[in-house]
Amino acid sequence: MDLRSHLEDLIPEQQERLKKLKKEHGNVQLGNITVDMVIGGMRGMTGLLWETSLLDPDEGIRFRGLSIPECQKVLPAAFPEGEPLPEGLLWLLLTGKVPTKDQVNALSKDLRTRASVPDHVYKAINALPVTAHPMTQFTTGVMALQVQSEFQKAYEKGISKAKFWEPTYEDALNLIAQVPVVAAFVYRRIYKGGQVIPADDSLDYGANFSHMLGFDSKKMQELMRLYVTIHTDHEGGNVSAHTAHLVASALSDPYLSFAAALNGLAGPLHGLANQEVLLWIKNVVEECGENITTDQLKDYVWKTLNSGKVVPGFGHGVLRKTDPRYTCQREFALKHLPEDPLFQLVSKLYEVVPPILTELGKVKNPWPNVDAHSGVLLNHFGLTEARYYTVLFGVSRSIGICSQLIWDRALGLPLERPKSVTMELLENHCKKAALTSKA
């Protein structure tokens, strides 16, 4: 039943696999780097090993080879036909294998034993103004947790590189277990007068998080299981995942690495987008009413675009079709809240926005992404505070980031240090290339 024991068996096998790959195929080219890639933020440039998930532009995300619908089908749930338990996805990400319900229950129990948060963490958060953004307070709490890092203690004492993964594993599971507690404290501090709700040890990870936030309905618990599961990982190139990998490559411990990732997640071009979507949708309702017609909605979308703004929740840096994470949330809404006015508005946006963005001609992907839907679901069940939504994203992303970080240490991945160039070098290179092509 023990997750760590499974990793102890898997790691030597994967270390040999990587060693063989590097020795036999290290010189094989993966593609050509263009000037556009260098100037454009390395977009599309293959340059990072990330084992836990892979993002295909057409298929969407696959967790260890499994699509979201497949994960919903095979991962253990709290009850038959229910949403997958996040603990099950954690097991899958770490081992590449679908766990049994008993294994998931054992992991859930292990996480509960690790979830105690020291008092100094709450004091650090309480030192901030209550008006500070929830992500600022959340990241402060994660940084305060860092003093308990097992990796830092082991490194200072002296530890073999071959065993780096072991204290990293302890930090990673401790962190995954503690972030819902910290996140719930932030929510209750800002929005509920500081009335903290203690954990319920009879509940699983997702349901317990919902409970600590103050939402005990069975449907909200199911939504939280789904939300945490689908937001865990999105391969390694996104800002939060890449930031964690970069910082951890300097042998910073999981707490420092994850806190850095959260600061990237807090940006409006990444995780903060889920906040922006609901605020924009509520603005639509305020100006046009809940019973907005399709033509009125088209006019509002054009008004947004013509003002130089984007329609939040549409488009993606990699995907070229509707985000599967959007689709599974839509299916959840159709099952549990089909009459919700904001959900019906989201459905209309699904019909209206893609054709407009296609007509605009500047968008490679006019389809909705994960952020287009999550806020409406949370709002329906009473979690209406949009400024807090990115914290939920952060709790979920801890599972994917920490899973990969354990493998970074196990595989001995090196310090990340890409080469940068100046505009002058690019200009000179392009001039030489032009002369060579003419010759």
Side-chain angles (χ1 to χ4, degrees):
M1 294 301 104
D2 178 43
L3 177 59
R4 179 168 173 150
S5 297
H6 282 263
L7 282 177
E8 287 173 346
D9 292 336
L10 280 170
I11 284 172
E13 171 190 316
Q14 295 301 309
Q15 288 171 333
E16 285 303 311
R17 182 184 177 193
L18 183 64
K19 185 177 178 181
K20 181 181 179 183
L21 188 63
K22 185 176 180 180
K23 181 179 179 180
E24 297 181 3
H25 306 290
N27 293 324
V28 174
Q29 292 188 346
L30 282 173
N32 296 316
I33 295 172
T34 65
V35 172
D36 272 344
M37 290 177 176
V38 173
I39 297 173
M42 300 191 288
R43 186 172 296 276
M45 191 184 297
T46 301
L48 185 64
L49 183 63
W50 194 268
E51 286 290 281
T52 49
S53 65
L54 183 66
L55 180 59
D56 182 90
D58 296 314
E59 286 191 345
I61 191 66
R62 283 186 176 271
F63 302 115
R64 291 286 190 171
L66 296 179
S67 67
I68 287 177
E70 288 168 342
C71 285
Q72 289 178 295
K73 184 178 180 180
V74 302
L75 288 178
F79 52 83
E81 306 301 320
E83 300 298 341
L85 292 164
E87 299 94 315
L89 190 65
L90 171 58
W91 188 292
L92 175 67
L93 293 181
L94 275 172
T95 68
K97 298 174 183 177
V98 175
T100 65
K101 185 68 186 314
D102 286 342
Q103 288 171 329
V104 168
N105 289 342
L107 178 55
S108 188
K109 182 179 179 181
D110 182 23
L111 290 173
R112 286 195 294 271
T113 66
R114 298 170 179 267
S116 178
V117 172
D119 286 341
H120 74 264
V121 174
Y122 303 125
K123 290 177 181 177
I125 297 171
N126 283 330
L128 294 169
V130 73
T131 54
H133 194 281
M135 282 297 284
T136 303
Q137 299 190 42
F138 183 41
T139 307
T140 298
V142 172
M143 286 298 298
L145 285 170
Q146 190 273 340
V147 298
Q148 67 184 10
S149 172
E150 295 297 327
F151 180 83
Q152 184 189 45
K153 294 172 187 174
Y155 190 83
E156 288 176 352
K157 291 178 181 177
I159 181 174
S160 165
K161 286 184 178 181
K163 293 189 175 183
F164 276 177
W165 77 269
E166 296 179 11
T168 300
Y169 175 89
E170 298 303 323
D171 279 356
L173 263 70
N174 287 339
L175 179 57
I176 291 168
Q178 291 169 324
V179 288
V181 182
V182 174
F185 177 83
V186 169
Y187 179 77
R188 302 296 299 182
R189 177 179 189 247
I190 298 173
Y191 302 110
K192 303 298 177 183
Q195 296 177 336
V196 176
I197 298 174
D200 182 343
D201 285 344
S202 70
L203 296 174
D204 58 82
Y205 190 88
N208 206 9
F209 186 26
S210 179
H211 165 72
M212 289 186 290
L213 290 169
F215 304 96
D216 285 319
S217 78
K218 298 299 181 183
K219 289 183 179 180
M220 181 57 166
Q221 290 178 355
E222 272 290 88
L223 173 60
M224 197 58 67
R225 292 178 185 118
L226 176 66
Y227 183 100
V228 173
T229 297
I230 66 173
H231 285 80
T232 52
D233 210 31
H234 215 231
E235 76 167 24
N238 64 77
V239 170
S240 55
H242 186 197
T243 299
H245 175 83
L246 172 64
V247 174
S249 78
L251 293 186
S252 297
D253 63 61
Y255 298 94
L256 297 175
S257 304
F258 183 62
L262 288 177
N263 288 324
L265 192 70
L269 294 184
H270 191 18
L272 202 70
N274 58 8
Q275 165 185 315
E276 302 300 310
V277 170
L278 186 64
L279 294 177
W280 184 82
I281 288 174
K282 287 189 172 181
N283 284 337
V284 175
V285 174
E286 284 179 16
E287 290 195 28
C288 307
E290 287 185 347
N291 298 317
I292 184 171
T293 66
T294 300
D295 287 338
Q296 286 177 311
L297 191 55
K298 287 179 180 177
D299 291 341
Y300 193 91
V301 170
W302 276 115
K303 176 184 173 183
T304 299
L305 294 170
N306 290 333
S307 68
K309 299 176 182 177
V310 300
V311 179
F314 285 78
H316 192 273
V318 178
L319 285 168
R320 295 296 173 259
K321 61 174 283 187
T322 300
D323 192 334
R325 298 173 299 175
Y326 172 94
T327 304
C328 72
Q329 290 182 96
R330 176 173 172 78
E331 290 170 352
F332 185 94
L334 287 169
K335 180 179 179 181
H336 296 292
L337 48 131
E339 304 302 322
D340 182 272
L342 291 186
F343 168 59
Q344 293 179 351
L345 178 54
V346 165
S347 296
K348 285 183 182 178
L349 286 169
Y350 193 15
E351 298 174 14
V352 167
V353 175
I356 291 176
L357 294 180
T358 301
E359 181 182 338
L360 201 63
K362 297 179 181 179
V363 181
K364 292 181 179 179
N365 173 20
W367 304 107
N369 59 47
V370 65
D371 297 317
H373 217 308
S374 57
V376 169
L377 297 178
L378 295 164
N379 184 80
H380 175 84
F381 291 110
L383 211 170
T384 60
E385 299 86 0
R387 287 180 86 232
Y388 182 78
Y389 288 174
T390 312
V391 176
L392 301 174
F393 199 155
V395 170
S396 175
R397 192 49 59 93
S398 70
I399 293 175
I401 284 174
C402 288
S403 295
Q404 180 59 41
L405 180 49
I406 292 168
W407 278 105
D408 287 351
R409 295 283 196 264
L411 297 174
L413 298 187
L415 178 71
E416 186 178 332
R417 180 53 171 95
K419 177 77 175 100
S420 63
V421 294
T422 62
M423 279 199 286
E424 181 182 13
L425 186 144
L426 288 177
E427 290 164 346
N428 291 337
H429 177 81
C430 292
K431 287 176 185 176
K432 289 179 183 177
L435 291 172
T436 303
S437 64
K438 289 180 180 178

